[in-house]
Amino acid sequence: MAEASVTLGGKASSLSSSAVCAVATALSQVRIDSTALDRLSSSNSSKKATTATTTSSSSNCSITVPDFLTLEESRAFLLVLLNSLIISNASSRIPLVLAETLNSNPSTFRFDDADLVTEDELTCSTLLGISAILDHHSAALSAFADVAAAFSCEALKADVAAFNLMDSGDGHNSKEEVGVAADVRVLLNGSKSVGKEKVRSVARVPKVHGSVREHAKAVHSRMRVELNSGVKSAIGSEEAVCTVLLPLAAALRELGECSLARVKSNLEGIGGDDLKLGVGEIFGKECPVGDGLSSGFNKAVNLFLGKEYGKFAHEVFVLSGLVWKVVAWEVVTAVAVLEAAELNEVIKGAKENGENLKVEENSKAEKKKKKVVLGKGTSSILALFKERLQSRGKLALGTWVADFLSFLDLAKPEFNEFLLKVKDVVESNESRRLPKIPKGTRDFAKEQMTIRKKAFSIIEEVFERHGATALDTPVFELRETLMGKYGEDSKLIYDLADQGGELLSLRYDLTVPFARFVAMNGLTSFKRYQIAKVYRRDNPSKGRYREFYQCDFDIAGTPPEKMGPDFEVVRILTELLDELNIGEYEIKLNHRKLLDGMMQICGVPPEKFRTICSSIDKLDKQSFQQIKKEMVEEKGLTAETADRIETFVKEKGSPLALLSKFIQEGSDFSKHEGASEALKELEILFIALEKSKRIDKVVFDLSLARGLDYYTGVIFEAVFKGGTQVGSIAAGGRYDNLIGMFGSKTVPAVGVSLGIERVFAIMEQQQKDQNQLARPTKTEVLVSVLGNDLTLAAELAGELWDAGVKAEFLVHKRRTKHFEYAKESRIPWMVLVYEQEVKEEGVVQLKDLEANIDIKTPRTGFVEELRKRLYP
């Protein structure tokens, strides 16, 4: 087979970290492209020949390989330097000499007359060469560590619930953590060897391994740029390279410590004293310990702080080697646990024959050992291990361990082939991956649904208390219905494929469909509520979803009393948030006409009112300087106008106090007709809220500029003030022209929309903080038939259901199964039914699980007895 080579200097050629690694381990030769050779030949015709030897370095050497480098690192350093010289069209024979030297594979290096190579180039090449090896190694280590962890899960019979992470697209879970969890699930798919043991070092795998993946990718991204920029271009970027290596070093140390904890647990789980002792002794002599990982990391950190970047990278490389050894030991010990039955049979036979402890294929042991059902992925990989080890024939235990560890060596070609097979195993199991949901959406399990149903019940009760009727509208609307109603946010509308001649879009909110309903049916007054899902093609983040519920309350029609509906919707919002009991919140309130007056007073052109309001609306997330930059550079406002806007949007405080300031004679607002009208409306609203004892929840805030185009009057937004950062939790305002946009007469309206998904996030976090568990069902009684008589269970449970009692039944011979189910479902009462007892004595046993009280009662009257105790 032809020897692999790495080509440098071609038009389409680029240097990768894997190529650097292949040359560094002498698995590939170096080849300079013919076009680059022509350039070098023409530039060297008048230059003195440069020579290279493979002896020890001498005092007149111009390229000095740092003495702290390993042979692998030295070769990587020289390759990076060679590539840089070719990129920079060096007029010297040094590139040819370097290529010749690398291909002759010497153990030491010496170069003379290297006048074109500067000290900075040598230093930078050292750093980039080691970093390239680290890039390749860390990617391989990340995949290998997942395999090791999967084997440990089975060896330790660990609870693997930590791998149930799903990418819901809401920013709650790291993408890399979700990826690790998915890969381990694939490896363990179908395994009957995992169990319920709570193992902390297993539960931490997604977070720890995800961190390594994340930082390995950051190093890879950096190296793709630096390796092909040339060393001269990279000079000065050494600190940037090391800045991505440092967090990788921290992640590697954590990976090593976590893996080492599993190694020690695996050692404890090895069955058979001789096998445990034998593997344990070898482990004690050869495996790195936790102190070595910590001291190696600390040494690297000190070199980073001292700006000795080459030595720093070398120490990170040494640390990665230690971690690799630990992970290899994790595989060895996990396999020893899983294959203990076979290994112990072989050891037993060897002892009886007076031989040294041997490990070989043994058909008798194969028959005797208890069948271990591994995952489809781990069983395939274990078969690869066994094929490799058994090909060596009869081995002493020490040799078996050493041979196993030797095979798990990244520098060896056969291990790289093994990693490719592991990749194939994972990808071939891709079809067995659990399906996932689209980004920005969520599934809700029984505990979450309990919270949601309770919240919806409270919300409906509040809405109906105020005389609203329910409304439901289609989940999609004609596209023309939605377009032109949301300003810049219109780009977030989900369009549907045209399949029936109509252009359709998923509803963006519930307000526009409500307005369409009122206009279409010719209504002049309507008080309604709607709780339904809406859809936005937004960028998912924490608390921001693409599919979510909104809870809307709207009042359409001209009221007999000015500002009455506006007061009622703000009052309803306070009732909702108080009764949902989410904690501290505030309602920021402003007026659209006040905003427009502010724009005019500040000198904003009328055509830019809405786009500038859209910028101001971001002030809760960005500083004014960022907003000012957007307004001036992107939206064409003058700096003076932006500065004047700043003086207004800083105004925020007590509603009545700030209102008093704005209505004073001579103020800017008092001179503006639209702003004066807005202030009069706000005065009525604030006094009504004060009389209703709700003014303390409201903050008058001139920076509130709701981005939707349809608002015409009061606008408001509720913000949670507790620890959970979720942003706005409710918003609303007056929209007098929206209904008229559908071609009917104008019907003024005002409404509020509760962002219930964010409220749920707060409620779920509160439950976690208070260590509470939501009861997933309303079941009051479990009918437990200890036997296999389904008809008896049907008869007893049927009587309870007929009496209106919430009940479930379970038919199982094992008593513990009944109690486990009742405990898990938090069911307060049980009816214990022993088949013989019912037939002979005509009694059943009632059990109050909370009070731990048993009551025997006649079978004929057990329903009445239960009802007395459930509903006293």
Side-chain angles (χ1 to χ4, degrees):
M1 189 171 71
E3 191 168 18
S5 64
V6 172
T7 302
L8 305 177
K11 286 185 178 179
S13 60
S14 62
L15 186 60
S16 67
S17 293
S18 56
V20 172
C21 218
V23 172
T25 52
L27 295 178
S28 291
Q29 293 273 295
V30 178
R31 176 180 168 273
I32 300 178
D33 187 79
S34 58
T35 57
L37 282 172
D38 291 343
R39 293 197 307 270
L40 292 171
S41 297
S42 61
S43 65
N44 288 327
S45 57
S46 62
K47 290 286 181 181
K48 187 173 98 175
T50 305
T51 60
T53 66
T54 59
T55 61
S56 59
S57 60
S58 63
S59 58
N60 66 344
C61 133
S62 296
I63 297 181
T64 304
V65 178
D67 57 8
F68 60 82
L69 297 184
T70 63
L71 180 60
E72 185 178 351
E73 290 172 317
S74 299
R75 292 177 61 82
F77 150 67
L78 292 174
L79 179 65
V80 170
L81 179 60
L82 167 59
N83 187 57
S84 173
L85 292 171
I86 292 173
I87 289 173
S88 60
N89 292 319
S91 56
S92 166
R93 286 194 66 251
I94 295 176
L96 297 172
V97 174
L98 287 175
E100 181 185 339
T101 304
L102 285 167
N103 290 337
S104 64
N105 196 20
S107 57
T108 57
F109 306 90
R110 172 188 164 184
F111 302 89
D112 299 322
D113 195 23
D115 53 295
L116 293 179
V117 181
T118 68
E119 188 65 34
D120 283 344
E121 287 177 305
L122 295 177
T123 303
C124 194
S125 296
T126 302
L127 173 61
L128 295 183
I130 303 171
S131 298
I133 299 175
L134 276 168
D135 174 16
H136 181 71
H137 279 208
S138 57
L141 178 57
S142 176
F144 182 39
D146 293 345
V147 171
F151 275 115
S152 287
C153 287
E154 295 178 307
L156 300 173
K157 299 189 184 307
D159 180 353
V160 291
F163 303 105
N164 292 334
L165 284 178
M166 288 291 179
D167 184 7
S168 60
D170 57 11
H172 283 78
N173 296 324
S174 155
K175 179 182 175 183
E176 304 306 336
E177 289 176 30
V178 170
V180 168
D183 286 346
V184 175
R185 281 201 309 274
V186 167
L187 293 169
L188 294 175
N189 184 32
S191 175
K192 293 203 167 126
S193 297
V194 294
K196 295 186 177 180
E197 291 294 323
K198 301 289 186 185
V199 183
R200 184 171 182 271
S201 57
V202 168
R204 292 181 64 218
V205 165
K207 191 167 288 294
V208 172
H209 291 214
S211 179
V212 173
R213 279 196 188 189
E214 178 184 346
H215 297 303
K217 286 182 177 180
V219 171
H220 181 68
S221 297
R222 171 61 65 175
M223 294 314 299
R224 284 181 64 187
V225 174
E226 301 296 348
L227 286 176
N228 296 289
S229 300
V231 169
K232 288 183 179 179
S233 300
I235 292 171
S237 65
E238 295 96 329
E239 188 167 348
V241 173
C242 291
T243 300
V244 294
L245 286 183
L246 185 61
L248 175 64
L252 288 173
R253 180 192 64 172
E254 194 171 15
L255 173 64
E257 290 172 348
C258 196
S259 179
L260 187 60
R262 292 191 295 275
V263 172
K264 292 176 180 177
S265 298
N266 289 341
L267 283 169
E268 288 299 314
I270 295 176
D273 292 342
D274 288 333
L275 181 61
K276 181 188 286 189
L277 184 63
V279 176
E281 282 182 355
I282 303 169
F283 165 78
K285 292 175 185 175
E286 298 187 14
C287 185
V289 294
D291 290 345
L293 296 169
S294 293
S295 61
F297 174 71
N298 292 336
K299 187 174 180 181
V301 170
N302 289 332
L303 289 167
F304 173 80
L305 295 174
K307 298 190 175 183
E308 296 184 67
Y309 295 137
K311 290 183 178 180
F312 159 70
H314 167 72
E315 286 303 326
V316 178
F317 176 61
V318 172
L319 176 64
S320 74
L322 292 176
V323 175
W324 190 279
K325 286 181 182 177
V326 172
V327 174
W329 264 102
E330 183 178 355
V331 172
V332 171
T333 53
V335 170
V337 173
L338 297 170
E339 295 290 291
E342 179 180 337
L343 296 174
N344 279 309
E345 284 294 330
V346 176
I347 289 171
K348 182 180 176 184
K351 289 179 76 175
E352 288 172 355
N353 294 328
E355 301 175 13
N356 188 15
L357 303 186
K358 305 289 181 183
V359 178
E360 61 178 335
E361 186 74 36
N362 188 302
S363 59
K364 188 178 178 183
E366 195 71 37
K367 290 176 184 176
K368 285 186 176 182
K369 72 174 183 176
K370 183 180 177 182
K371 187 170 180 63
V372 176
V373 181
L374 303 182
K376 289 182 173 66
T378 48
S379 60
S380 299
I381 294 169
L382 182 60
L384 295 174
F385 285 144
K386 292 174 78 170
E387 179 186 354
R388 168 68 171 79
L389 295 169
Q390 287 167 3
S391 67
R392 296 288 302 274
K394 195 173 183 180
L395 296 174
L397 179 62
T399 311
W400 178 82
V401 172
D403 196 48
F404 204 159
L405 291 170
S406 174
F407 170 60
L408 304 176
D409 183 352
L410 183 60
K412 296 194 174 177
E414 54 264 37
F415 185 74
N416 282 288
E417 292 171 12
F418 165 74
L419 280 181
L420 290 174
K421 289 180 180 178
V422 168
K423 184 180 179 185
D424 288 342
V425 167
V426 172
E427 289 179 354
S428 68
N429 279 272
E430 196 74 30
S431 61
R432 300 187 186 101
R433 281 184 186 269
L434 291 175
K436 62 180 185 179
I437 57 176
K439 287 184 178 180
T441 63
R442 291 197 294 171
D443 288 322
F444 299 100
K446 52 189 179 183
E447 292 84 1
Q448 292 166 307
M449 284 305 298
T450 302
I451 296 172
R452 294 169 81 83
K453 286 178 71 177
K454 178 184 175 183
F456 284 143
S457 175
I458 292 170
I459 293 164
E460 286 188 4
E461 199 281 326
V462 171
F463 287 162
E464 290 174 356
R465 184 190 305 158
H466 287 262
T469 56
L471 174 69
D472 192 23
T473 57
V475 75
F476 51 85
E477 296 273 353
L478 292 173
R479 192 173 301 168
E480 64 191 43
T481 299
L482 303 182
M483 287 303 171
K485 314 298 191 302
Y486 304 106
E488 292 184 2
D489 285 343
S490 291
K491 62 181 181 288
L492 302 180
I493 293 173
Y494 267 111
D495 292 332
L496 300 180
D498 179 14
Q499 293 181 333
E502 292 183 324
L503 298 178
L504 305 173
S505 299
L506 292 176
R507 62 188 174 206
Y508 178 89
D509 66 4
L510 300 179
T511 306
V512 171
F514 164 70
R516 188 263 309 151
F517 177 85
V518 172
M520 191 174 79
N521 289 279
L523 303 178
T524 55
S525 66
F526 187 30
K527 183 186 283 190
R528 82 87 171 88
Y529 74 87
Q530 185 173 0
I531 299 174
K533 288 182 177 180
V534 298
Y535 300 86
R536 298 185 183 179
R537 201 176 62 194
D538 209 343
N539 185 31
S541 60
K542 192 168 185 177
R544 187 182 292 273
Y545 305 96
R546 289 179 170 176
E547 177 194 64
F548 55 95
Y549 271 99
Q550 279 190 341
C551 304
D552 278 24
F553 179 100
D554 292 84
I555 303 173
T558 304
E561 67 292 325
K562 192 173 180 66
M563 301 304 291
D566 306 73
F567 154 72
E568 187 170 11
V569 293
V570 176
R571 165 76 199 202
I572 285 170
L573 178 55
T574 63
E575 289 179 23
L576 285 174
L577 298 179
D578 286 345
E579 293 185 32
L580 288 168
N581 196 28
I582 61 169
E584 288 296 311
Y585 65 89
E586 70 177 17
I587 299 172
K588 297 191 288 186
L589 192 144
N590 200 358
H591 199 293
R592 195 79 209 205
K593 291 179 182 175
L594 204 57
L595 272 172
D596 289 347
M598 179 182 79
M599 296 286 121
Q600 197 169 352
I601 291 166
C602 292
V604 177
E607 66 274 12
K608 294 191 178 200
F609 279 14
R610 291 296 176 260
T611 187
I612 296 303
C613 280
S614 179
S615 296
I616 293 171
D617 200 35
K618 301 174 186 175
L619 277 171
D620 58 338
K621 304 179 188 72
Q622 300 177 23
S623 69
F624 186 81
Q625 289 308 309
Q626 292 172 298
I627 300 302
K628 178 180 177 181
K629 185 177 180 182
E630 178 182 306
M631 291 191 294
V632 173
E633 295 181 7
E634 296 178 25
K635 299 186 176 181
L637 216 58
T638 66
E640 295 76 15
T641 301
D643 289 336
R644 192 150 189 215
I645 289 173
E646 183 180 15
T647 64
F648 280 96
V649 297
K650 284 182 176 179
E651 297 285 5
K652 177 181 178 179
S654 166
L656 290 169
L658 206 54
L659 180 72
S660 177
K661 175 181 176 181
F662 292 156
I663 61 177
Q664 284 179 358
E665 192 173 341
S667 71
D668 289 328
F669 285 139
S670 66
K671 300 172 187 174
H672 189 279
E673 183 180 351
S676 294
E677 183 183 343
L679 290 173
K680 289 174 184 176
E681 291 181 356
L682 288 175
E683 184 175 21
I684 297 169
L685 175 62
F686 291 157
I687 292 172
L689 288 169
E690 182 183 38
K691 296 295 183 183
S692 189
K693 298 182 173 59
R694 298 287 162 155
I695 194 68
D696 60 312
K697 303 290 186 181
V698 177
V699 174
F700 193 179
D701 187 349
L702 282 188
S703 71
L704 178 65
R706 299 283 296 151
L708 302 182
D709 273 8
Y710 53 64
Y711 286 122
T712 58
V714 168
I715 51 176
F716 51 87
E717 181 176 89
V719 179
F720 180 60
K721 296 174 71 176
T724 306
Q725 298 299 311
V726 293
S728 169
I729 54 176
R734 173 159 287 281
Y735 50 99
D736 287 347
N737 302 325
L738 181 60
I739 296 171
M741 291 174 71
F742 292 103
S744 64
K745 61 182 177 182
T746 299
V747 180
V750 63
V752 60
S753 179
L754 181 66
I756 192 64
E757 300 293 348
R758 296 182 178 185
V759 172
F760 288 147
I762 296 166
M763 295 172 76
E764 287 167 12
Q765 189 59 49
Q766 285 176 337
Q767 277 209 335
K768 286 181 185 176
D769 294 344
Q770 295 165 12
N771 202 24
Q772 292 179 345
L773 286 174
R775 191 175 164 208
T777 71
K778 295 183 178 180
T779 304
E780 298 167 308
V781 180
L782 176 65
V783 177
S784 295
V785 175
L786 285 87
N788 52 18
D789 189 348
L790 173 62
T791 60
L792 181 57
E795 181 184 354
L796 297 172
E799 290 180 23
L800 287 169
W801 293 330
D802 289 341
V805 177
K806 299 177 181 70
E808 295 180 54
F809 66 87
L810 180 62
V811 179
H812 203 286
K813 290 181 179 180
R814 289 177 58 188
R815 180 183 167 95
T816 53
K817 288 288 182 184
H818 293 273
F819 281 90
E820 284 173 4
Y821 183 80
K823 183 180 178 182
E824 183 183 334
S825 301
R826 301 173 69 194
I827 299 172
W829 281 85
M830 294 176 73
V831 179
L832 293 165
V833 185
Y834 299 89
E835 293 178 8
Q836 202 67 23
E837 197 173 54
V838 172
K839 290 175 183 176
E840 294 178 2
E841 302 177 32
V843 296
V844 295
Q845 183 177 311
L846 308 184
K847 186 170 187 68
D848 181 342
L849 289 169
E850 188 174 340
N852 197 25
I853 296 172
D854 296 313
I855 305 147
K856 277 200 173 185
T857 187
R859 151 75 185 84
T860 53
F862 89 101
V863 174
E864 194 55 40
E865 184 65 30
L866 264 174
R867 284 183 58 83
K868 284 180 188 175
R869 296 179 181 277
L870 286 169
Y871 321 118

